[in-house]
Amino acid sequence: MIQFILNSFTFKGIFANKDAKGGIVFIYFLIILFATSFPLNVQIIQNNGWDELNTVTYAWKEDVPSWIPDDLPNDVVFSSNGMMMPIEDTYIYQSVYNESFYTLVINPVDRTPQAGESIHTEEGIKTLDENGEVVLKQYEKTIVLCKDKVIYYYEDDEFVKGDYSNIKDPINLSSLKGLDQHEAASIFLSMIDGCFSPYMVLSNVLISTLTQLLLNIILVFMISGIFMLVKVNYQRITNYGENVKIIISSMTIPTLISFVIGIIGIMEITAFSVVLFQLITPLLALGAIYKGSGIKTSSTKYVA
């Protein structure tokens, strides 16, 4: 492995890596994958995920409900310590988006329902049947704001739990009512999304890494096929498998450049580093085939 890496900094070395064992090349390809994904993944973690692409409040951000902010309860404060409210009451809000109902429950009830009563609890809507037995209707597309946690039910019996630990500055719902509706909605809904940031970050990192993996695989196999057309003095120098190894070896220098650019932390430069990676890799591989093979191109001399 060490020799494979050292060879990847010269044309002759890259060309020599065509004879490396497949297992070493595969492991090195994975190392390249994690190195190229690392800078963007760091930024994803620092930004708590791609907020606009992965959010539990997407429907309300697309179409702000009329109950935000004026109908929200007064003097309810959200902080890293949890939700605090002066009056023990439960608030239910609903809206429709793309023909689906979305529900927000603030301060769910923690007791058994009485006859003829329907209550919203952490687990769902509870009622009593004719025999006095509790009947639970599972939430769907519902966000439940409890005092110490936040629960998002996206399907029947499918949910994720978050908490308020990511809230930096306390948010008082009363203070939102003096703001523009969209500004108030942005603050309130972003606070809710932030409660689920660990799940967002994990899914975004996985999506980013898998996307990078797919792009690298396409790049390797596509260029390897194109390089089957490369000949020196009308001779085919490498076969398809050898081209794959040469291209993976050629990813070393572009990966280092992309890694350094990404560590700088500027998103625009990080995005441009992907273009550099895809441009420099095939150029280095092509140079390795021509220069590394040691075959001199023939020339024709014309005498007048």
Side-chain angles (χ1 to χ4, degrees), residues 7-254:
N7 286 347
S8 299
F9 290 94
T10 64
F11 285 136
K12 289 187 177 181
I14 293 173
F15 186 78
N17 280 342
K18 69 182 177 60
D19 298 320
K21 294 181 179 179
I24 292 177
V25 177
F26 176 74
I27 294 174
Y28 189 69
F29 179 72
L30 294 181
I31 294 174
I32 289 290
L33 168 65
F34 288 116
T36 52
S37 303
F38 180 76
L40 183 57
N41 288 342
V42 168
Q43 292 190 357
I44 290 173
I45 294 172
Q46 291 175 340
N47 295 326
N48 289 324
W50 291 321
D51 184 53
E52 298 303 322
L53 297 180
N54 199 355
T55 166
V56 299
T57 62
Y58 173 80
W60 292 331
K61 285 185 175 180
E62 287 293 300
D63 185 11
V64 178
S66 59
W67 41 264
I68 296 179
D70 293 339
D71 293 338
L72 293 175
N74 292 317
D75 297 324
V76 176
V77 179
F78 296 92
S79 70
S80 58
N81 295 321
M83 178 181 69
M84 293 168 285
M85 55 194 315
I87 301 176
E88 288 295 326
D89 205 352
T90 300
Y91 301 88
I92 316 297
Y93 304 93
Q94 276 194 329
S95 65
V96 179
Y97 179 75
N98 284 347
E99 301 181 354
S100 295
F101 282 94
Y102 293 83
T103 305
L104 173 67
V105 180
I106 300 179
N107 194 34
V109 177
D110 184 18
R111 61 176 174 83
T112 302
Q114 299 177 359
E117 184 184 27
S118 175
I119 61 174
H120 288 73
T121 68
E122 287 185 16
E123 300 84 13
I125 302 174
K126 290 183 178 180
T127 55
L128 294 180
D129 62 13
E130 297 177 352
N131 300 320
E133 298 292 330
V134 176
V135 177
L136 176 65
K137 179 182 178 182
Q138 297 286 349
Y139 287 130
E140 184 175 353
K141 294 182 175 65
T142 299
I143 297 174
V144 183
L145 302 181
C146 307
K147 286 185 172 64
D148 59 347
K149 58 181 173 290
V150 184
I151 309 172
Y152 173 52
Y153 293 87
Y154 47 93
E155 297 291 345
D156 290 339
D157 202 30
E158 298 289 337
F159 63 90
V160 293
K161 289 185 179 182
D163 57 47
Y164 301 103
S165 60
N166 287 316
I167 297 178
K168 296 180 180 179
D169 300 316
I171 298 175
N172 190 324
L173 295 187
S174 296
S175 65
L176 298 182
K177 297 184 179 183
L179 303 176
D180 172 77
Q181 184 187 32
H182 286 83
E183 183 181 357
S186 176
I187 295 173
F188 180 58
L189 299 178
S190 294
M191 181 271 295
I192 295 176
D193 287 334
C195 296
F196 300 96
S197 62
Y199 300 98
M200 294 183 182
V201 168
L202 178 60
S203 63
N204 292 162
V205 166
L206 289 175
I207 291 172
S208 173
T209 303
L210 291 175
T211 301
Q212 188 66 50
L213 172 62
L214 179 61
L215 291 175
N216 285 359
I217 290 175
I218 292 175
L219 180 69
V220 169
F221 288 116
M222 181 179 68
I223 298 177
S224 296
I226 294 175
F227 277 13
M228 291 296 293
L229 303 175
V230 174
K231 295 181 179 180
V232 180
N233 282 354
Y234 307 101
Q235 301 178 45
R236 181 173 288 117
I237 306 301
T238 56
N239 57 39
Y240 188 85
E242 291 171 339
N243 286 341
V244 169
K245 296 176 183 179
I246 289 174
I247 292 168
I248 293 176
S249 180
S250 299
M251 290 179 170
T252 303
I253 295 176

